Every structure is written in structure tokens, then in C-alpha cells.
Amino acid sequence: MLKKNWKNLFRKTILDRGYGYYLEGAVEDISRENDVISATVSGTELYEVEIFLDHDEVYDMDCDCPYAEDGNYCKHMAAV
């Protein structure tokens, strides 16, 4: 299970970039179904992000960008 404070999962630069994406309105089609938050984030391309919750705490995250596919928490996840 991930840490309760999800912000600690990101390097500061990644968190800052994600916040910038959020402020720019790059997070699109956000929805929540049960314990999964899904969204599309407009970056270099459109990226699909899923955030999995357990009792409203972040349990896991997934994004189809290359950075996340290498096992990292990315700016797209941070934006959502």
C-alpha cells in the first residue's frame, strides 16, 4: 500500500509539473467509479491515468506515459 500522503511519492519537480498541468486544465474526462479515478491528461500526447483508492486513500497509480511505464510516478498522475 502506498503512503497516505500521496504527495510524498513524487519528486518536487514532478509534483510541480503536475500541478502546472492541473492549473492549465490539462486534466480531461475525469471520473470516479467506486475506488478508481480515471482521467485523460493532455501532454505531449493524451495519456490515460488511473488512481486506485482504498478507503479514499491512494493505493496505486497507473499512467501509460513512458516515464510511468519505467516504474515512476509521473506528472500526469500528480495532475489528476
Side-chain angles (χ1 to χ4, degrees):
M1 180 175 279
L2 298 178
K3 298 176 185 175
K4 290 187 178 193
N5 186 353
W6 60 269
K7 292 178 185 178
N8 291 334
L9 299 171
F10 299 91
R11 293 188 340 218
K12 182 175 178 355
T13 55
I14 297 297
L15 190 60
D16 290 346
R17 288 180 185 165
Y19 187 58
Y21 271 43
Y22 168 77
L23 292 176
E24 293 168 7
V27 179
E28 305 169 1
D29 302 323
I30 190 165
S31 65
R32 179 175 177 174
E33 186 172 326
N34 298 319
D35 289 336
V36 180
I37 298 171
S38 301
T40 301
V41 180
S42 179
T44 310
E45 299 178 21
L46 291 177
Y47 296 106
E48 300 297 323
V49 175
E50 290 185 318
I51 298 177
F52 304 94
L53 305 174
D54 182 28
H55 296 93
D56 290 329
E57 297 287 344
V58 174
Y59 175 72
D60 200 5
M61 295 181 277
D62 188 41
C63 179
D64 61 358
C65 78
Y67 187 74
E69 288 180 350
D70 284 341
N72 300 296
Y73 296 112
C74 67
K75 59 189 173 188
H76 311 108
M77 295 170 183
V80 175

